Amino acid sequence: MVMPTPHERAGSDLLFLREESLRLAQTLMFLAARDMAEAVAPVLEEDGLGRAHYRVLQVLAFSPGIPVSRLQDILGVTKQSLGRTLHELDARAYLQSRAGRQDRRQKLLFLSPTGKAAEARLFAVIRQRLVAAYREAGGAAVEGFRRVINGMLSEHSRALLSEESAGRREGREHV
């Protein structure tokens, strides 16, 4: 076995930055997102839900008790689009709302028990895929994956994630 020279070893550390590797990463992310969406599609169809409903359920699962305006900011959708989705989820009794403690005009959103059950069914599909992938990759790869994904987040998304984590630690209002 021929050992690489120090110069070759140094260059190999940067092979992941080549155009071909970056395009492969982009393709893998696209295909993974598509495959995850396809994996939950049967559950969504069974419940008569779409991807917009799923995104709301996801956010309310990791961030219960957020104001509608904050949900709109996290999802990056128009008020009208979010309003339609929330109306449909509310009609199915997937949501609960409560007035804010400081500002009674503020509407805080939570998943109802029915909404939590629907979100749990969807997350079970994703969880199964993640557990399998994480087991195959190992702990160091999982940590690397988290670092890469975090590095791809915009400052706005990092701030949202940080604020949501802080809200959970502080014990945001719960139903």
Side-chain angles (χ1 to χ4, degrees):
M1 177 177 185
V2 177
M3 296 297 289
T5 66
H7 176 71
E8 290 170 331
R9 279 193 305 265
S12 70
D13 289 346
L14 299 177
L15 289 178
F16 61 88
L17 293 176
R18 290 183 17 217
E19 184 79 12
E20 181 181 324
S21 293
L22 297 172
R23 287 202 176 271
L24 176 60
Q26 178 187 24
T27 301
L28 290 170
M29 287 187 303
F30 169 80
L31 293 173
R34 184 202 65 190
D35 290 352
M36 294 296 251
E38 285 179 7
V40 298
V43 179
L44 289 171
E45 189 174 325
E46 183 179 303
D47 287 353
L49 300 173
R51 289 184 183 178
H53 301 107
Y54 177 44
R55 292 177 66 211
V56 169
L57 295 174
Q58 281 182 293
V59 173
L60 292 181
F62 78 73
S63 195
I66 64 171
V68 173
S69 59
R70 181 110 176 113
L71 178 61
Q72 181 185 354
D73 186 36
I74 291 170
L75 294 174
V77 297
T78 65
K79 190 181 280 189
Q80 182 180 12
S81 174
L82 180 58
R84 274 192 308 269
T85 303
L86 291 177
H87 178 74
E88 291 168 7
L89 290 171
D90 191 44
R92 294 169 171 266
Y94 281 29
L95 301 179
Q96 294 177 341
S97 64
R98 179 188 303 168
R101 286 188 180 165
Q102 286 83 20
D103 182 352
R104 304 294 295 162
R105 296 169 298 175
Q106 192 176 48
K107 184 177 179 180
L108 305 178
L109 297 175
F110 301 86
L111 292 176
S112 69
T114 305
K116 287 178 184 177
E119 191 280 330
R121 284 191 308 279
L122 291 159
F123 180 68
V125 174
I126 299 300
R127 183 183 185 285
Q128 181 181 8
R129 292 268 180 119
L130 286 172
V131 166
Y134 279 14
R135 279 192 177 137
E136 184 178 325
V142 170
E143 178 56 29
F145 169 74
R146 286 185 187 134
R147 290 174 62 191
V148 168
I149 294 296
N150 191 57
M152 292 172 52
L153 296 178
S154 67
E155 287 301 318
H156 179 70
S157 291
R158 286 183 193 171
L160 289 172
L161 187 59
S162 177
E163 291 166 14
E164 293 311 312
S165 294
R168 284 192 302 276
R169 281 193 305 274
E170 293 170 7
R172 189 183 278 131
E173 295 181 55
H174 296 286
V175 167

